[in-house]
Amino acid sequence: MNTTPLRLEKIYDLAYSVLSKYGCDPFNAECVATTVTHAERDGSVSHGLFRIPGYVASLKSKKVNGASKPINTHLTNNAIRVEGDYGFAPVAIKVGLPELIKTTRNYGIGVLTIKNTHHFAALWHETEALAEKNLIGLACTAYKPVVAPAGAKKPLYGTNPISFAWPRKNSTPVVFDMATSTMALGEVQVAARDGHKVPFGTGLNSKGEKTDDPVAISNGGVLLPFGDYKGSSIAMMIELLAAGLVGDLFSFEAANEDNNDGGPSRGGEFIMAISPELIAGKNWNDHSEKFFEQLSNLDGTRLPGQRRHNNRKDNGPRKINSELLKTINQLT
Ligand code: NDP
């Protein structure tokens, strides 16, 4: 794979200018370009510039409102709904998160339900932002069906990611963020683009047979849930929280209404925040540090989020796939 070095400021400028050109207003462009840049900064390559052609496609088709003005409404004292105004999810998150933080600090637990947005990003952005404010963060979202429930050969679930973040005293938060499929679809697409195999059993081909070929999985095949029926149940829970509870589209409904322009389908997101200070009491941080010490002392372990946070320390240019860069430059 040929790569081209690009500094983070240039990545941001490129994303911002392309998004603006295809209809994002300054606030919407800033929110999405920041998310894209943070993904490249942390090495979340499948959710950085790789997503720009999809973002542009859905601005061009007018599926997504690039001038969205999300609005917060309190459903109860500690449950807030963000009406996303059919914009990209990072915009609704930017509007909703400060209210969730304020509410959770008052009540100990807060819920943010995001409606009518288009999510194409990693979820650690939102959970980590909560943990940086000393709150526990949990977030999940559904997508169009590409994952077969355990035992099935046809898709019903999205790759349905879930992220959890825990704040730490003198360190970056512990954050996991994972698709509930064996692999995120973006990762399978990157493997297909770069000509790599994926682990055998990542998905099924169009005949319903297990395969290690990312092209066969992307074209007419399906992904499988991680951990068979166990991951399948977590994927189901995410459908119920992000669609059933939020009051937005289940994956199968999102597929029925999507125009398949290559950009993100419409859907909801469920975010929950918890204040350890209010729920566990003053000692919560020292107590959990003892647990992390035990975990980190075991040979072979690392904490989730550590890879990204190590990548973040690098102030140098990021290696961007040259073909992708060419495609994006043609959009400017
Ligand atoms: P990975 O399998 O790469 O990683 C999942 C998590 O496991 C990460 O938090 C990672 O931390 C952690 N991890 C990896 N290896 C280890 C290890 N050896 N020990 C401890 N922790 C480890 O992610 P996925 O491919 O499942 O998902 C990629 C992204 O795709 C996610 O950010 C997800 O939000 C996004 N996504 C978004 C969708 C959407 O609709 N918006 C749909 C599906 C996925 P670290 O980051 O530090 O490596």
Side-chain angles (χ1 to χ4, degrees), residues 65-130:
N65 176 10
S68 68
K69 294 184 174 41
I71 292 174
N72 295 332
T73 308
H74 269 267
L75 303 170
T76 68
N77 283 341
N78 58 349
I80 307 147
R81 172 187 291 156
V82 190
E83 164 49 55
D85 196 20
Y86 303 94
F88 291 121
V91 189
I93 291 163
K94 176 90 176 176
V95 171
L97 230 48
E99 192 58 28
L100 177 65
I101 291 165
K102 200 167 84 187
T103 295
T104 308
R105 282 181 175 156
N106 281 337
Y107 293 99
I109 296 185
V111 165
L112 191 74
T113 65
I114 298 184
K115 274 193 84 165
N116 294 325
T117 55
H118 295 260
H119 211 309
F120 220 23
L123 300 185
W124 54 259
H125 298 274
E126 38 269 41
T127 57
E128 192 163 300
L130 291 167

Side-chain angles (χ1 to χ4, degrees), residues 42 44 46-47 51 119-124 141-143 158-163 175-187 300-309:
D42 283 15
S44 293
S46 56
H47 291 83
R51 292 295 188 195
H119 211 309
F120 220 23
L123 300 185
W124 54 259
T141 187
Y143 197 60
T159 47
N160 295 6
I162 183 164
S163 177
V175 188
F176 77 72
D177 180 16
M178 56 178 216
T180 46
S181 49
T182 44
M183 206 180 239
L185 188 61
E187 301 287 349
T301 61
R302 75 158 170 93
L303 291 172
Q306 216 167 43
R307 175 195 63 88
R308 281 193 305 102
H309 295 148

Side-chain angles (χ1 to χ4, degrees), residues 131-319:
E132 280 165 355
K133 300 290 181 191
N134 267 334
L135 301 174
I136 298 159
L138 182 74
C140 59
T141 187
Y143 197 60
K144 289 192 288 188
V146 283
V147 176
K153 291 190 183 348
K154 293 216 160 92
L156 181 68
Y157 302 148
T159 47
N160 295 6
I162 183 164
S163 177
F164 171 84
W166 183 277
R168 293 192 67 190
K169 204 171 185 176
N170 296 314
S171 174
T172 49
V174 170
V175 188
F176 77 72
D177 180 16
M178 56 178 216
T180 46
S181 49
T182 44
M183 206 180 239
L185 188 61
E187 301 287 349
V188 175
Q189 288 163 343
V190 167
R193 179 195 70 187
D194 297 343
H196 300 147
K197 296 270 182 222
V198 293
F200 186 76
T202 294
L204 308 176
N205 62 21
S206 56
K207 295 181 200 144
E209 299 158 342
K210 286 192 174 174
T211 179
D212 58 4
D213 178 0
V215 178
I217 296 169
S218 316
N219 299 336
V222 285
L223 280 164
L224 291 172
F226 81 92
D228 202 0
Y229 61 88
K230 297 185 183 182
S232 195
S233 294
I234 295 176
M236 179 189 73
M237 176 190 78
I238 293 169
E239 294 279 339
L240 293 169
L241 289 176
L245 182 66
V246 168
D248 211 310
L249 303 174
F250 287 103
S251 294
F252 78 92
E253 293 171 322
N256 287 342
E257 83 151 39
D258 194 44
N259 65 3
N260 296 317
D261 58 8
S265 57
R266 180 163 76 79
E269 180 173 0
F270 171 81
I271 306 181
M272 187 161 81
I274 305 173
S275 163
E277 180 98 24
L278 294 185
I279 307 269
K282 294 261 174 256
N283 189 37
W284 70 272
N285 213 331
D286 290 328
H287 187 204
S288 53
E289 282 309 307
K290 287 184 187 153
F291 164 76
F292 289 125
E293 198 182 310
Q294 292 285 323
L295 180 58
S296 302
N297 281 344
L298 292 175
D299 272 351
T301 61
R302 75 158 170 93
L303 291 172
Q306 216 167 43
R307 175 195 63 88
R308 281 193 305 102
H309 295 148
N310 283 340
N311 286 340
R312 196 177 291 180
K313 291 181 197 147
D314 177 1
N315 292 323
R318 298 307 192 255
K319 292 179 185 152

